[in-house]
Amino acid sequence: MSEQTTLSISTHGQGLYEFTQQAADWVKKQAVVTGICHLFVQHTSCSLTIQENADPSARVDLENWLNRLVPENDPLYTHTMEGPDDMPAHIKAILTNVSLSVPVVDGRLALGTWQGLYLWEHRHHAHKRNVILHISN
Amino acid sequence: MSEQTTLSISTHGQGLYEFTQQAADWVKKQAVVTGICHLFVQHTSCSLTIQENADPSARVDLENWLNRLVPENDPLYTHTMEGPDDMPAHIKAILTNVSLSVPVVDGRLALGTWQGLYLWEHRHHAHKRNVILHISN
Amino acid sequence: MSEQTTLSISTHGQGLYEFTQQAADWVKKQAVVTGICHLFVQHTSCSLTIQENADPSARVDLENWLNRLVPENDPLYTHTMEGPDDMPAHIKAILTNVSLSVPVVDGRLALGTWQGLYLWEHRHHAHKRNVILHISN
């Protein structure tokens, strides 16, 4: 048995956008009791990550740390036609995740106590981002 | 057909803790011949990685390199309440993996000759870490 | 229902080797309509990534950026017996991916418009690299 859905996540600039609740709600509605839920983002300038969802300062630091590691306007870049935030976005995407797999236990996403699901937007402009969820047992 | 189990891995400070044997032993006991085994760690300050399990010096260098890239007491950090090793642990976790998927071929984990499964502990204190294994065909 | 195959990818030095077409062709031949395709590389000195397949300059910049972050001949390295490109290759592998999972929608890999599948070779010498594909519904 397997089911799929696509979450559309609206972003308005760089940052970590939590979608734990949307994913958890969809998983609870499926008939899978013991299974696995795969997440996949269909873009190359944003990414997926699982991180602490308690203290927002952890996310601020993640964002600032990655921005410092991968700054805009690095003279190394030749791929600059789509703006100064484009090449850093691709690099940040390859350092984080395009796909994640979370077990489903007793019909629910088996995230740890402090784990949240995040879409990490690496571009400045507003975007609609697709995350495909696939659940199977 | 799918089965799940949880491995509990005791850590006592930073480093790469191999659990290839525990995972391989569990997989061999399952009835799945051609399948896939998913691994998921339920924490945000340790992570999973697959690396060379032959020469221990490779793991020493990985650890030292990542510690240099993500040092403690970086003035950038604002999330400091849980100790100087906490924010670096979150950053190291997002740069490595929370989930991995390894094919099962002929009833065994199809790791390459030099590949081992590791829990990468990023905190100094002792911890019990949960890794959920999910196998399906 | 699940099927597996192994792609053998010949590399001749560092760089991103696209194998989107080989993977897509194999997926189309399988009977799975709604499913998931897992990719796994059986090595520790190359890796997998999904990146922009439109403008080649993005890949050049990715390669140069990662080479600068993880240079050869770093005095930190003690694992040097297999050549100056070996330890950097392990580090680059842990920063990118050994496994990826792509949904299958309507019998095809549901990659985004600009997404391509790449084997990222981190060694200088020629190699044959194995990527196992596993599809299930």
Side-chain angles (χ1 to χ4, degrees):
Chain A
M1 181 190 336
S2 76
E3 297 291 340
Q4 288 178 343
T5 194
T6 301
L7 302 183
S8 175
I9 299 175
S10 295
T11 64
H12 43 273
Q14 296 184 337
L16 289 144
Y17 295 79
E18 187 165 15
F19 64 97
T20 314
Q21 198 60 54
Q22 292 105 293
D25 286 349
W26 181 76
V27 166
K28 272 192 282 185
K29 284 181 203 147
Q30 309 311 311
V32 172
V33 177
T34 299
I36 187 96
C37 181
H38 304 291
L39 302 94
F40 182 78
V41 69
Q42 291 187 299
H43 311 276
T44 62
S45 58
C46 65
S47 53
L48 298 176
T49 199
I50 289 182
Q51 254 306 320
E52 168 157 340
N53 65 356
D55 183 351
S57 66
R59 267 124 49 206
V60 170
D61 289 0
L62 281 179
E63 182 75 16
N64 288 337
W65 188 88
L66 200 57
N67 279 340
R68 189 182 63 189
L69 182 72
V70 194
E72 298 186 7
N73 301 308
D74 187 324
L76 181 145
Y77 306 144
T78 63
H79 180 77
T80 53
M81 284 217 315
E82 295 167 58
D85 59 336
D86 185 58
M87 195 59 223
H90 292 316
I91 295 172
K92 291 167 181 175
I94 62 112
L95 294 176
T96 51
N97 295 106
V98 66
S99 67
L100 292 172
S101 300
V102 182
V104 176
V105 177
D106 293 335
R108 287 159 186 269
L109 282 178
L111 292 166
T113 312
W114 310 109
Q115 288 182 314
L117 301 171
Y118 292 90
L119 184 288
W120 201 337
E121 178 58 70
H122 304 303
R123 303 296 308 262
H124 293 307
H125 288 300
H127 284 276
K128 285 265 188 193
R129 301 303 201 173
N130 292 331
V131 178
I132 299 180
L133 305 189
H134 177 97
I135 192 172
S136 62
N137 57 3
Chain B
M1 184 191 332
S2 75
E3 296 290 341
Q4 288 178 342
T5 194
T6 301
L7 302 183
S8 175
I9 299 174
S10 295
T11 65
H12 43 273
Q14 295 185 338
L16 289 144
Y17 294 79
E18 186 164 16
F19 64 97
T20 315
Q21 198 60 53
Q22 293 105 292
D25 286 350
W26 181 76
V27 166
K28 271 193 281 186
K29 283 182 206 149
Q30 309 312 311
V32 173
V33 177
T34 300
I36 188 96
C37 181
H38 305 289
L39 302 93
F40 181 79
V41 69
Q42 291 187 300
H43 311 277
T44 61
S45 60
C46 65
S47 54
L48 298 175
T49 199
I50 289 182
Q51 253 306 318
E52 168 158 340
N53 64 357
D55 183 350
S57 66
R59 267 124 48 207
V60 170
D61 288 0
L62 280 179
E63 182 74 16
N64 288 337
W65 187 88
L66 199 57
N67 278 340
R68 190 181 63 188
L69 183 72
V70 194
E72 298 186 6
N73 301 309
D74 187 324
L76 180 145
Y77 305 145
T78 63
H79 180 78
T80 53
M81 284 217 315
E82 294 167 58
D85 59 336
D86 185 57
M87 195 59 224
H90 292 316
I91 295 172
K92 292 167 179 175
I94 62 113
L95 293 176
T96 52
N97 294 106
V98 66
S99 67
L100 292 170
S101 300
V102 182
V104 175
V105 177
D106 293 335
R108 287 160 187 269
L109 281 178
L111 292 167
T113 311
W114 310 109
Q115 287 182 316
L117 301 172
Y118 292 90
L119 184 288
W120 202 337
E121 178 58 69
H122 304 302
R123 303 297 307 261
H124 293 305
H125 287 300
H127 285 275
K128 287 263 188 194
R129 301 304 201 169
N130 293 331
V131 179
I132 300 179
L133 305 189
H134 177 98
I135 192 173
S136 63
N137 57 2
Chain C
M1 184 189 334
S2 75
E3 297 290 341
Q4 288 178 343
T5 194
T6 300
L7 302 182
S8 175
I9 299 175
S10 296
T11 64
H12 42 275
Q14 295 184 336
L16 289 145
Y17 294 80
E18 186 164 15
F19 63 98
T20 315
Q21 197 61 53
Q22 292 107 291
D25 286 350
W26 181 77
V27 167
K28 271 192 282 186
K29 284 181 204 148
Q30 311 310 311
V32 172
V33 177
T34 299
I36 187 97
C37 181
H38 304 290
L39 303 93
F40 181 79
V41 69
Q42 289 187 301
H43 310 278
T44 61
S45 59
C46 65
S47 54
L48 298 175
T49 199
I50 289 182
Q51 253 305 319
E52 168 157 339
N53 65 357
D55 183 350
S57 65
R59 272 137 27 218
V60 170
D61 289 0
L62 280 180
E63 182 74 16
N64 289 337
W65 188 89
L66 199 57
N67 279 340
R68 189 181 63 189
L69 182 72
V70 194
E72 296 186 6
N73 301 308
D74 189 322
L76 180 145
Y77 305 145
T78 64
H79 180 77
T80 53
M81 286 218 313
E82 295 167 57
D85 59 336
D86 185 57
M87 195 58 225
H90 293 315
I91 295 172
K92 291 166 181 177
I94 61 112
L95 293 176
T96 50
N97 294 107
V98 66
S99 67
L100 292 171
S101 301
V102 182
V104 175
V105 177
D106 293 335
R108 287 160 185 270
L109 282 178
L111 292 166
T113 312
W114 309 110
Q115 287 182 316
L117 300 171
Y118 292 91
L119 184 289
W120 201 338
E121 178 59 69
H122 303 303
R123 302 297 308 259
H124 293 306
H125 287 301
H127 284 275
K128 287 264 187 194
R129 302 304 201 170
N130 293 332
V131 179
I132 301 180
L133 305 189
H134 177 98
I135 193 172
S136 62
N137 55 2

PDB file of all heavy atoms in Angstrom, chain B residues 93-122:
ATOM      1  N   ALA B  93      24.948  18.241  12.507  1.00  0.00           N
ATOM      2  CA  ALA B  93      23.862  17.309  12.160  1.00  0.00           C
ATOM      3  C   ALA B  93      23.246  17.672  10.808  1.00  0.00           C
ATOM      4  O   ALA B  93      22.966  16.787   9.995  1.00  0.00           O
ATOM      5  CB  ALA B  93      22.797  17.304  13.253  1.00  0.00           C
ATOM      6  N   ILE B  94      23.055  18.966  10.563  1.00  0.00           N
ATOM      7  CA  ILE B  94      22.418  19.328   9.278  1.00  0.00           C
ATOM      8  C   ILE B  94      23.383  19.145   8.099  1.00  0.00           C
ATOM      9  O   ILE B  94      22.964  19.007   6.961  1.00  0.00           O
ATOM     10  CB  ILE B  94      21.807  20.752   9.265  1.00  0.00           C
ATOM     11  CG1 ILE B  94      22.867  21.828   9.476  1.00  0.00           C
ATOM     12  CG2 ILE B  94      20.684  20.886  10.265  1.00  0.00           C
ATOM     13  CD1 ILE B  94      23.084  22.682   8.282  1.00  0.00           C
ATOM     14  N   LEU B  95      24.686  19.144   8.357  1.00  0.00           N
ATOM     15  CA  LEU B  95      25.658  18.925   7.273  1.00  0.00           C
ATOM     16  C   LEU B  95      25.851  17.442   6.966  1.00  0.00           C
ATOM     17  O   LEU B  95      26.428  17.101   5.931  1.00  0.00           O
ATOM     18  CB  LEU B  95      27.016  19.533   7.650  1.00  0.00           C
ATOM     19  CG  LEU B  95      27.055  21.052   7.765  1.00  0.00           C
ATOM     20  CD1 LEU B  95      28.426  21.498   8.246  1.00  0.00           C
ATOM     21  CD2 LEU B  95      26.716  21.719   6.433  1.00  0.00           C
ATOM     22  N   THR B  96      25.433  16.571   7.863  1.00  0.00           N
ATOM     23  CA  THR B  96      25.560  15.129   7.617  1.00  0.00           C
ATOM     24  C   THR B  96      24.153  14.555   7.399  1.00  0.00           C
ATOM     25  O   THR B  96      23.435  15.081   6.560  1.00  0.00           O
ATOM     26  CB  THR B  96      26.380  14.467   8.739  1.00  0.00           C
ATOM     27  OG1 THR B  96      25.822  14.826  10.011  1.00  0.00           O
ATOM     28  CG2 THR B  96      27.834  14.964   8.707  1.00  0.00           C
ATOM     29  N   ASN B  97      23.706  13.507   8.102  1.00  0.00           N
ATOM     30  CA  ASN B  97      22.429  12.887   7.755  1.00  0.00           C
ATOM     31  C   ASN B  97      21.603  12.492   8.963  1.00  0.00           C
ATOM     32  O   ASN B  97      22.147  12.000   9.953  1.00  0.00           O
ATOM     33  CB  ASN B  97      22.665  11.595   6.948  1.00  0.00           C
ATOM     34  CG  ASN B  97      23.283  11.871   5.598  1.00  0.00           C
ATOM     35  OD1 ASN B  97      24.455  11.624   5.381  1.00  0.00           O
ATOM     36  ND2 ASN B  97      22.498  12.431   4.703  1.00  0.00           N
ATOM     37  N   VAL B  98      20.309  12.671   8.827  1.00  0.00           N
ATOM     38  CA  VAL B  98      19.380  12.152   9.821  1.00  0.00           C
ATOM     39  C   VAL B  98      18.762  10.832   9.336  1.00  0.00           C
ATOM     40  O   VAL B  98      18.373   9.991  10.136  1.00  0.00           O
ATOM     41  CB  VAL B  98      18.309  13.221  10.164  1.00  0.00           C
ATOM     42  CG1 VAL B  98      17.411  13.505   8.977  1.00  0.00           C
ATOM     43  CG2 VAL B  98      17.471  12.826  11.360  1.00  0.00           C
ATOM     44  N   SER B  99      18.721  10.655   8.009  1.00  0.00           N
ATOM     45  CA  SER B  99      18.191   9.402   7.460  1.00  0.00           C
ATOM     46  C   SER B  99      19.078   8.887   6.338  1.00  0.00           C
ATOM     47  O   SER B  99      19.704   9.674   5.623  1.00  0.00           O
ATOM     48  CB  SER B  99      16.748   9.574   6.953  1.00  0.00           C
ATOM     49  OG  SER B  99      16.666  10.430   5.837  1.00  0.00           O
ATOM     50  N   LEU B 100      19.138   7.570   6.208  1.00  0.00           N
ATOM     51  CA  LEU B 100      19.903   6.891   5.161  1.00  0.00           C
ATOM     52  C   LEU B 100      19.082   5.697   4.680  1.00  0.00           C
ATOM     53  O   LEU B 100      18.313   5.138   5.457  1.00  0.00           O
ATOM     54  CB  LEU B 100      21.237   6.357   5.706  1.00  0.00           C
ATOM     55  CG  LEU B 100      22.304   7.361   6.126  1.00  0.00           C
ATOM     56  CD1 LEU B 100      23.436   6.641   6.848  1.00  0.00           C
ATOM     57  CD2 LEU B 100      22.848   8.125   4.927  1.00  0.00           C
ATOM     58  N   SER B 101      19.293   5.298   3.441  1.00  0.00           N
ATOM     59  CA  SER B 101      18.586   4.136   2.887  1.00  0.00           C
ATOM     60  C   SER B 101      19.587   3.234   2.185  1.00  0.00           C
ATOM     61  O   SER B 101      20.274   3.669   1.268  1.00  0.00           O
ATOM     62  CB  SER B 101      17.523   4.590   1.880  1.00  0.00           C
ATOM     63  OG  SER B 101      16.575   5.440   2.503  1.00  0.00           O
ATOM     64  N   VAL B 102      19.654   1.984   2.635  1.00  0.00           N
ATOM     65  CA  VAL B 102      20.627   1.027   2.096  1.00  0.00           C
ATOM     66  C   VAL B 102      19.869  -0.154   1.471  1.00  0.00           C
ATOM     67  O   VAL B 102      19.028  -0.760   2.138  1.00  0.00           O
ATOM     68  CB  VAL B 102      21.556   0.497   3.213  1.00  0.00           C
ATOM     69  CG1 VAL B 102      22.599  -0.453   2.646  1.00  0.00           C
ATOM     70  CG2 VAL B 102      22.222   1.651   3.957  1.00  0.00           C
ATOM     71  N   PRO B 103      20.157  -0.481   0.220  1.00  0.00           N
ATOM     72  CA  PRO B 103      19.474  -1.619  -0.401  1.00  0.00           C
ATOM     73  C   PRO B 103      19.782  -2.928   0.321  1.00  0.00           C
ATOM     74  O   PRO B 103      20.864  -3.090   0.910  1.00  0.00           O
ATOM     75  CB  PRO B 103      20.058  -1.668  -1.820  1.00  0.00           C
ATOM     76  CG  PRO B 103      20.629  -0.318  -2.066  1.00  0.00           C
ATOM     77  CD  PRO B 103      21.082   0.187  -0.726  1.00  0.00           C
ATOM     78  N   VAL B 104      18.824  -3.839   0.259  1.00  0.00           N
ATOM     79  CA  VAL B 104      19.011  -5.205   0.751  1.00  0.00           C
ATOM     80  C   VAL B 104      19.018  -6.113  -0.480  1.00  0.00           C
ATOM     81  O   VAL B 104      18.068  -6.121  -1.262  1.00  0.00           O
ATOM     82  CB  VAL B 104      17.882  -5.601   1.722  1.00  0.00           C
ATOM     83  CG1 VAL B 104      18.017  -7.060   2.142  1.00  0.00           C
ATOM     84  CG2 VAL B 104      17.893  -4.684   2.941  1.00  0.00           C
ATOM     85  N   VAL B 105      20.130  -6.807  -0.670  1.00  0.00           N
ATOM     86  CA  VAL B 105      20.310  -7.690  -1.820  1.00  0.00           C
ATOM     87  C   VAL B 105      20.623  -9.087  -1.277  1.00  0.00           C
ATOM     88  O   VAL B 105      21.500  -9.229  -0.413  1.00  0.00           O
ATOM     89  CB  VAL B 105      21.461  -7.185  -2.721  1.00  0.00           C
ATOM     90  CG1 VAL B 105      21.708  -8.151  -3.889  1.00  0.00           C
ATOM     91  CG2 VAL B 105      21.171  -5.780  -3.244  1.00  0.00           C
ATOM     92  N   ASP B 106      19.879 -10.091  -1.741  1.00  0.00           N
ATOM     93  CA  ASP B 106      20.066 -11.466  -1.243  1.00  0.00           C
ATOM     94  C   ASP B 106      20.000 -11.532   0.287  1.00  0.00           C
ATOM     95  O   ASP B 106      20.772 -12.249   0.936  1.00  0.00           O
ATOM     96  CB  ASP B 106      21.418 -12.030  -1.712  1.00  0.00           C
ATOM     97  CG  ASP B 106      21.453 -12.230  -3.229  1.00  0.00           C
ATOM     98  OD1 ASP B 106      20.376 -12.403  -3.823  1.00  0.00           O
ATOM     99  OD2 ASP B 106      22.550 -12.204  -3.801  1.00  0.00           O
ATOM    100  N   GLY B 107      19.106 -10.752   0.859  1.00  0.00           N
ATOM    101  CA  GLY B 107      18.874 -10.807   2.295  1.00  0.00           C
ATOM    102  C   GLY B 107      19.899 -10.098   3.156  1.00  0.00           C
ATOM    103  O   GLY B 107      19.844 -10.170   4.385  1.00  0.00           O
ATOM    104  N   ARG B 108      20.829  -9.370   2.506  1.00  0.00           N
ATOM    105  CA  ARG B 108      21.865  -8.669   3.271  1.00  0.00           C
ATOM    106  C   ARG B 108      21.975  -7.207   2.865  1.00  0.00           C
ATOM    107  O   ARG B 108      21.687  -6.852   1.725  1.00  0.00           O
ATOM    108  CB  ARG B 108      23.238  -9.314   3.004  1.00  0.00           C
ATOM    109  CG  ARG B 108      23.394 -10.667   3.668  1.00  0.00           C
ATOM    110  CD  ARG B 108      24.495 -11.468   3.012  1.00  0.00           C
ATOM    111  NE  ARG B 108      24.510 -12.814   3.562  1.00  0.00           N
ATOM    112  CZ  ARG B 108      25.243 -13.169   4.626  1.00  0.00           C
ATOM    113  NH1 ARG B 108      26.035 -12.289   5.219  1.00  0.00           N
ATOM    114  NH2 ARG B 108      25.191 -14.400   5.080  1.00  0.00           N
ATOM    115  N   LEU B 109      22.424  -6.381   3.812  1.00  0.00           N
ATOM    116  CA  LEU B 109      22.693  -4.970   3.516  1.00  0.00           C
ATOM    117  C   LEU B 109      23.761  -4.891   2.425  1.00  0.00           C
ATOM    118  O   LEU B 109      24.850  -5.440   2.590  1.00  0.00           O
ATOM    119  CB  LEU B 109      23.230  -4.264   4.764  1.00  0.00           C
ATOM    120  CG  LEU B 109      22.225  -3.841   5.834  1.00  0.00           C
ATOM    121  CD1 LEU B 109      22.993  -3.201   7.001  1.00  0.00           C
ATOM    122  CD2 LEU B 109      21.186  -2.880   5.295  1.00  0.00           C
ATOM    123  N   ALA B 110      23.463  -4.188   1.345  1.00  0.00           N
ATOM    124  CA  ALA B 110      24.376  -4.126   0.203  1.00  0.00           C
ATOM    125  C   ALA B 110      25.374  -2.977   0.341  1.00  0.00           C
ATOM    126  O   ALA B 110      25.524  -2.130  -0.550  1.00  0.00           O
ATOM    127  CB  ALA B 110      23.581  -4.010  -1.092  1.00  0.00           C
ATOM    128  N   LEU B 111      26.066  -2.957   1.473  1.00  0.00           N
ATOM    129  CA  LEU B 111      27.115  -1.954   1.658  1.00  0.00           C
ATOM    130  C   LEU B 111      28.314  -2.303   0.781  1.00  0.00           C
ATOM    131  O   LEU B 111      28.598  -3.482   0.543  1.00  0.00           O
ATOM    132  CB  LEU B 111      27.552  -1.932   3.125  1.00  0.00           C
ATOM    133  CG  LEU B 111      26.511  -1.402   4.109  1.00  0.00           C
ATOM    134  CD1 LEU B 111      26.921  -1.731   5.542  1.00  0.00           C
ATOM    135  CD2 LEU B 111      26.328   0.112   3.952  1.00  0.00           C
ATOM    136  N   GLY B 112      29.018  -1.271   0.318  1.00  0.00           N
ATOM    137  CA  GLY B 112      30.247  -1.506  -0.417  1.00  0.00           C
ATOM    138  C   GLY B 112      31.324  -2.079   0.503  1.00  0.00           C
ATOM    139  O   GLY B 112      31.190  -2.059   1.737  1.00  0.00           O
ATOM    140  N   THR B 113      32.391  -2.578  -0.109  1.00  0.00           N
ATOM    141  CA  THR B 113      33.460  -3.257   0.627  1.00  0.00           C
ATOM    142  C   THR B 113      33.971  -2.448   1.814  1.00  0.00           C
ATOM    143  O   THR B 113      34.260  -2.987   2.877  1.00  0.00           O
ATOM    144  CB  THR B 113      34.650  -3.506  -0.327  1.00  0.00           C
ATOM    145  OG1 THR B 113      34.138  -4.097  -1.526  1.00  0.00           O
ATOM    146  CG2 THR B 113      35.687  -4.418   0.317  1.00  0.00           C
ATOM    147  N   TRP B 114      34.098  -1.143   1.638  1.00  0.00           N
ATOM    148  CA  TRP B 114      34.709  -0.311   2.670  1.00  0.00           C
ATOM    149  C   TRP B 114      33.704   0.513   3.458  1.00  0.00           C
ATOM    150  O   TRP B 114      34.083   1.365   4.246  1.00  0.00           O
ATOM    151  CB  TRP B 114      35.751   0.641   2.048  1.00  0.00           C
ATOM    152  CG  TRP B 114      36.704  -0.064   1.163  1.00  0.00           C
ATOM    153  CD1 TRP B 114      36.777   0.009  -0.193  1.00  0.00           C
ATOM    154  CD2 TRP B 114      37.738  -0.985   1.571  1.00  0.00           C
ATOM    155  NE1 TRP B 114      37.777  -0.801  -0.655  1.00  0.00           N
ATOM    156  CE2 TRP B 114      38.379  -1.419   0.408  1.00  0.00           C
ATOM    157  CE3 TRP B 114      38.158  -1.478   2.812  1.00  0.00           C
ATOM    158  CZ2 TRP B 114      39.434  -2.334   0.428  1.00  0.00           C
ATOM    159  CZ3 TRP B 114      39.199  -2.382   2.848  1.00  0.00           C
ATOM    160  CH2 TRP B 114      39.832  -2.799   1.664  1.00  0.00           C
ATOM    161  N   GLN B 115      32.421   0.275   3.202  1.00  0.00           N
ATOM    162  CA  GLN B 115      31.418   1.118   3.861  1.00  0.00           C
ATOM    163  C   GLN B 115      30.983   0.562   5.214  1.00  0.00           C
ATOM    164  O   GLN B 115      30.622  -0.613   5.322  1.00  0.00           O
ATOM    165  CB  GLN B 115      30.177   1.252   2.968  1.00  0.00           C
ATOM    166  CG  GLN B 115      30.392   2.147   1.761  1.00  0.00           C
ATOM    167  CD  GLN B 115      29.140   2.291   0.928  1.00  0.00           C
ATOM    168  OE1 GLN B 115      28.439   1.322   0.665  1.00  0.00           O
ATOM    169  NE2 GLN B 115      28.864   3.509   0.502  1.00  0.00           N
ATOM    170  N   GLY B 116      30.970   1.416   6.215  1.00  0.00           N
ATOM    171  CA  GLY B 116      30.423   1.085   7.519  1.00  0.00           C
ATOM    172  C   GLY B 116      29.365   2.101   7.907  1.00  0.00           C
ATOM    173  O   GLY B 116      29.391   3.250   7.448  1.00  0.00           O
ATOM    174  N   LEU B 117      28.410   1.686   8.757  1.00  0.00           N
ATOM    175  CA  LEU B 117      27.360   2.573   9.261  1.00  0.00           C
ATOM    176  C   LEU B 117      27.809   3.185  10.583  1.00  0.00           C
ATOM    177  O   LEU B 117      28.220   2.443  11.489  1.00  0.00           O
ATOM    178  CB  LEU B 117      26.069   1.789   9.497  1.00  0.00           C
ATOM    179  CG  LEU B 117      25.459   1.063   8.294  1.00  0.00           C
ATOM    180  CD1 LEU B 117      24.304   0.172   8.765  1.00  0.00           C
ATOM    181  CD2 LEU B 117      24.961   2.077   7.272  1.00  0.00           C
ATOM    182  N   TYR B 118      27.679   4.488  10.710  1.00  0.00           N
ATOM    183  CA  TYR B 118      28.136   5.180  11.915  1.00  0.00           C
ATOM    184  C   TYR B 118      27.084   6.120  12.479  1.00  0.00           C
ATOM    185  O   TYR B 118      26.411   6.834  11.732  1.00  0.00           O
ATOM    186  CB  TYR B 118      29.396   6.005  11.616  1.00  0.00           C
ATOM    187  CG  TYR B 118      30.577   5.131  11.303  1.00  0.00           C
ATOM    188  CD1 TYR B 118      30.856   4.737   9.993  1.00  0.00           C
ATOM    189  CD2 TYR B 118      31.382   4.645  12.324  1.00  0.00           C
ATOM    190  CE1 TYR B 118      31.921   3.889   9.716  1.00  0.00           C
ATOM    191  CE2 TYR B 118      32.444   3.805  12.059  1.00  0.00           C
ATOM    192  CZ  TYR B 118      32.708   3.433  10.750  1.00  0.00           C
ATOM    193  OH  TYR B 118      33.749   2.590  10.488  1.00  0.00           O
ATOM    194  N   LEU B 119      26.996   6.082  13.818  1.00  0.00           N
ATOM    195  CA  LEU B 119      26.292   7.126  14.552  1.00  0.00           C
ATOM    196  C   LEU B 119      27.359   8.146  14.909  1.00  0.00           C
ATOM    197  O   LEU B 119      28.361   7.800  15.565  1.00  0.00           O
ATOM    198  CB  LEU B 119      25.660   6.508  15.811  1.00  0.00           C
ATOM    199  CG  LEU B 119      24.775   7.305  16.761  1.00  0.00           C
ATOM    200  CD1 LEU B 119      25.539   8.309  17.603  1.00  0.00           C
ATOM    201  CD2 LEU B 119      23.623   7.993  16.044  1.00  0.00           C
ATOM    202  N   TRP B 120      27.155   9.375  14.475  1.00  0.00           N
ATOM    203  CA  TRP B 120      28.148  10.415  14.735  1.00  0.00           C
ATOM    204  C   TRP B 120      27.654  11.268  15.914  1.00  0.00           C
ATOM    205  O   TRP B 120      26.705  12.034  15.753  1.00  0.00           O
ATOM    206  CB  TRP B 120      28.336  11.281  13.488  1.00  0.00           C
ATOM    207  CG  TRP B 120      29.634  12.023  13.444  1.00  0.00           C
ATOM    208  CD1 TRP B 120      30.420  12.366  14.479  1.00  0.00           C
ATOM    209  CD2 TRP B 120      30.296  12.518  12.270  1.00  0.00           C
ATOM    210  NE1 TRP B 120      31.537  13.036  14.043  1.00  0.00           N
ATOM    211  CE2 TRP B 120      31.485  13.136  12.684  1.00  0.00           C
ATOM    212  CE3 TRP B 120      29.988  12.491  10.894  1.00  0.00           C
ATOM    213  CZ2 TRP B 120      32.366  13.746  11.789  1.00  0.00           C
ATOM    214  CZ3 TRP B 120      30.868  13.090  10.016  1.00  0.00           C
ATOM    215  CH2 TRP B 120      32.055  13.707  10.460  1.00  0.00           C
ATOM    216  N   GLU B 121      28.288  11.083  17.040  1.00  0.00           N
ATOM    217  CA  GLU B 121      27.911  11.844  18.236  1.00  0.00           C
ATOM    218  C   GLU B 121      28.619  13.198  18.206  1.00  0.00           C
ATOM    219  O   GLU B 121      29.842  13.260  18.052  1.00  0.00           O
ATOM    220  CB  GLU B 121      28.306  11.056  19.494  1.00  0.00           C
ATOM    221  CG  GLU B 121      28.011  11.777  20.803  1.00  0.00           C
ATOM    222  CD  GLU B 121      26.533  12.124  20.952  1.00  0.00           C
ATOM    223  OE1 GLU B 121      25.716  11.191  21.125  1.00  0.00           O
ATOM    224  OE2 GLU B 121      26.205  13.326  20.872  1.00  0.00           O
ATOM    225  N   HIS B 122      27.848  14.268  18.376  1.00  0.00           N
ATOM    226  CA  HIS B 122      28.426  15.621  18.328  1.00  0.00           C
ATOM    227  C   HIS B 122      28.460  16.303  19.700  1.00  0.00           C
ATOM    228  O   HIS B 122      28.908  17.448  19.796  1.00  0.00           O
ATOM    229  CB  HIS B 122      27.643  16.494  17.331  1.00  0.00           C
ATOM    230  CG  HIS B 122      27.579  15.923  15.953  1.00  0.00           C
ATOM    231  ND1 HIS B 122      28.702  15.628  15.230  1.00  0.00           N
ATOM    232  CD2 HIS B 122      26.520  15.572  15.167  1.00  0.00           C
ATOM    233  CE1 HIS B 122      28.347  15.124  14.045  1.00  0.00           C
ATOM    234  NE2 HIS B 122      27.041  15.081  13.997  1.00  0.00           N
TER     235      HIS B 122
END
